[in-house]
Amino acid sequence: MYLFSTNHYIEILPNLWSGFLFTLLITITGVAIGFVLGAVFGLMRLSKVKIIYGIATVYVELVRGTPLLVQIFFIYFGLSDFMNINLDKLTASIIAIAANAGAYIAEIVRGAVQSVDKGQTEAGRSLGLSSRQTMRYIIWPQALRRMIPPLGNQFIISLKDTSLFSAIAVTDLMYKGRQYASSTFADFESYIMVAIFYLIITIPSMLILRQYERRFERE
């Protein structure tokens, strides 16, 4: 029979806090790099040049068509063997999140840009702006505003996906929880606390996104 005790909940906090900070580091850095990749490849997916479009499409479809866990193993183990380099776990984790998020963000960018009324492009050209200037000053600001809700959702997804990095012993939130559970056999307390730490970020983020979406719909 399970006996309730607060001791484990208190003892696990320092371990989970360090893992939580590590998880945030991986997520924020990875998604930030992923946004840059997504913006580049998303715009490439809009290109009329077949080679550019093809490169972006291959990247997006390969990443979106394979599990993140496979990508983690490929980057950490596969690339190390193939390129004869030793990636540390933090670097491999950030690369994996960035590459994975970048593919999904590329589709977010592509969809947001295409959702802007074509009349905006015509208006920019009528003002004498080049295609690049029209994109920079007219299309992109409007598209960026529409990207915010799905980008927020992608951040939440990437945050939860970091739990997979415990498979390569990255000392993130999930790994710290598993480590404490295996040493104390307090599985229930460990994973309840891990879930709470994830919810501390995900629930406020979802509430903020909903508020933004409602405001956007009113405007």
Side-chain angles (χ1 to χ4, degrees):
M1 181 180 293
Y2 174 76
L3 298 176
F4 179 80
S5 173
T6 59
N7 291 337
H8 290 303
Y9 294 102
I10 296 172
E11 290 174 357
I12 197 175
L13 283 175
N15 290 332
L16 291 187
W17 177 249
S18 63
F20 180 66
L21 294 178
F22 205 66
T23 293
L24 284 180
L25 172 64
I26 294 171
T27 306
I28 293 172
T29 307
V31 173
I33 297 172
F35 177 75
V36 176
L37 289 173
V40 172
F41 283 98
L43 294 176
M44 288 172 66
R45 289 266 284 164
L46 295 169
S47 176
K48 295 180 180 179
V49 181
K50 290 184 178 180
I51 294 178
I52 294 176
Y53 173 82
I55 292 172
T57 300
V58 168
Y59 162 69
V60 170
E61 297 303 329
L62 279 178
V63 173
R64 299 202 325 155
T66 54
L68 177 57
L69 187 58
V70 174
Q71 296 166 21
I72 294 168
F73 284 173
F74 175 75
I75 291 170
Y76 186 63
F77 296 112
L79 285 184
S80 296
D81 291 339
F82 181 72
M83 301 179 68
N84 197 26
I85 57 174
N86 291 319
L87 288 174
D88 62 83
K89 294 171 184 177
L90 175 60
T91 302
S93 300
I94 291 174
I95 292 173
I97 282 291
N100 185 268
Y104 288 93
I105 292 173
E107 290 299 277
I108 293 172
V109 170
R110 183 179 66 84
V113 170
Q114 288 182 328
S115 70
V116 178
D117 190 273
K118 292 182 179 179
Q120 299 293 313
T121 301
E122 296 172 0
R125 300 306 295 272
S126 67
L127 291 173
L129 299 178
S130 65
S131 298
R132 182 175 297 180
Q133 290 173 326
T134 301
M135 174 61 72
R136 179 179 178 183
Y137 297 112
I138 297 178
I139 306 300
W140 184 256
Q142 296 181 63
L144 185 60
R145 186 183 176 194
R146 302 182 185 193
M147 292 177 208
I148 293 177
L151 285 175
N153 289 329
Q154 183 58 48
F155 176 82
I156 293 171
I157 291 169
S158 295
L159 175 70
K160 293 186 292 183
D161 283 346
T162 58
S163 61
L164 295 172
F165 292 123
S166 62
I168 58 172
V170 173
T171 55
D172 65 342
L173 180 57
M174 185 64 184
Y175 181 83
K176 290 289 187 179
R178 285 176 57 188
Q179 192 177 46
Y180 185 84
S182 64
S183 62
T184 62
F185 302 102
D187 298 274
F188 181 82
E189 294 90 340
S190 298
Y191 295 121
I192 280 288
M193 291 301 292
V194 168
I196 289 172
F197 268 85
Y198 278 113
L199 290 171
I200 287 172
I201 291 295
T202 57
I203 288 180
S205 298
M206 288 187 287
L207 292 174
I208 292 170
L209 287 173
R210 285 174 190 166
Q211 288 292 333
Y212 180 86
E213 287 172 358
R214 289 172 188 163
R215 181 180 175 185
F216 182 76
E217 288 173 358
R218 287 197 299 268
E219 295 178 356

